[in-house]
Amino acid sequence: MRVVVGSEESRDSKQIELERHLEAMARFTEGLRGNSALPHHCTMILRSPASAPAQALIAMQDALLSARVRARVILAKLEPEDDLRQLFASLSALSPNEGEAALIRWARNSRLLDAHEQVTYGTAMCWSGDAMRRDADKRNPLVLLDLDAPDAARRGQLAFKAMWRASADVPVRLLYARRAAKPSGAYERASDAPVTALRPHLQGWPLVRH
């Protein structure tokens, strides 16, 4: 079954889009109850980590983890950086034994940006949005959500595999929070390090040079 979704002027479109993906993801995880086939997979081709499907994945991390869902993501943009780090943290939580290169890729080649945003939820649900290069404020508000559609999901997964091969690794430094720099001259002492008494200098302590 295909659902064609239009825009609603009465409410914020970004919030509506997020709610739709939260609903789709909840439907996906509910349908996995009692299914012994493991693992289940979700693939995403997205404009940025701020896209609604990515935000839904972050919000639904615990439910996806309980349903033993694994996810992989291709991004056209790596900003905002905070959203990128949160998205990667969720992907890592779902697949703790996988490295960065197996979970997230960057569609940095400009020729790839004509591809449409797309998400597959398992083997029977597929969502399609607008082209990744389109400005978020100038997008076509119509999107397609295929439910109980294994053929559409299979085509979406094939498209994802082709995009994955054509995409690049995400620089690892962007995926982790930066450690705060220590002030100049700062030092650390191990908690179990012995404390050595200081012997005053023969000329007195402290020694002041004039």
Side-chain angles (χ1 to χ4, degrees), residues 32-195:
L32 297 178
R33 289 189 175 182
N35 189 338
S36 60
L38 298 174
H40 309 286
H41 296 281
C42 180
T43 65
M44 298 184 174
I45 300 173
L46 303 175
R47 182 174 184 267
S48 81
S51 295
Q55 295 299 305
L57 185 147
I58 294 169
M60 295 284 290
Q61 175 185 314
D62 291 343
L64 293 169
L65 187 60
S66 296
R68 301 187 182 181
V69 173
R70 308 290 182 262
R72 293 192 296 165
V73 178
I74 299 170
L75 298 172
K77 293 177 58 179
L78 303 180
E79 299 173 339
E81 289 189 14
D82 286 345
D83 289 332
L84 175 63
R85 289 191 287 268
Q86 289 180 33
L87 174 59
F88 176 68
S90 292
L91 294 173
S92 297
L94 298 178
S95 302
N97 297 323
E98 298 286 355
E100 299 89 352
L103 299 177
I104 191 166
R105 299 275 281 174
W106 178 18
R108 63 183 303 177
N109 188 327
S110 60
R111 291 179 295 178
L112 300 177
L113 301 184
D114 287 325
H116 284 230
E117 285 193 300
Q118 178 182 272
V119 177
T120 64
Y121 297 106
T123 59
M125 293 176 61
C126 184
W127 169 86
S128 298
D130 206 347
M132 292 195 296
R133 73 165 64 251
R134 191 80 61 86
D135 187 284
D137 295 328
K138 300 178 182 179
R139 296 184 147 216
N140 185 334
L142 295 179
V143 297
L144 301 176
L145 178 61
D146 290 297
L147 307 173
D148 302 319
D151 288 342
R154 182 179 59 82
R155 290 193 297 269
Q157 290 166 359
L158 290 174
F160 179 86
K161 289 179 181 178
M163 282 282 291
W164 185 270
R165 290 192 297 267
S167 298
D169 290 341
V170 175
V172 174
R173 60 182 172 79
L174 299 179
L175 299 176
Y176 298 94
R178 298 185 181 90
R179 299 183 63 180
K182 296 179 182 177
S184 177
Y187 67 95
E188 294 180 356
R189 181 175 61 84
S191 59
D192 58 348
V195 177

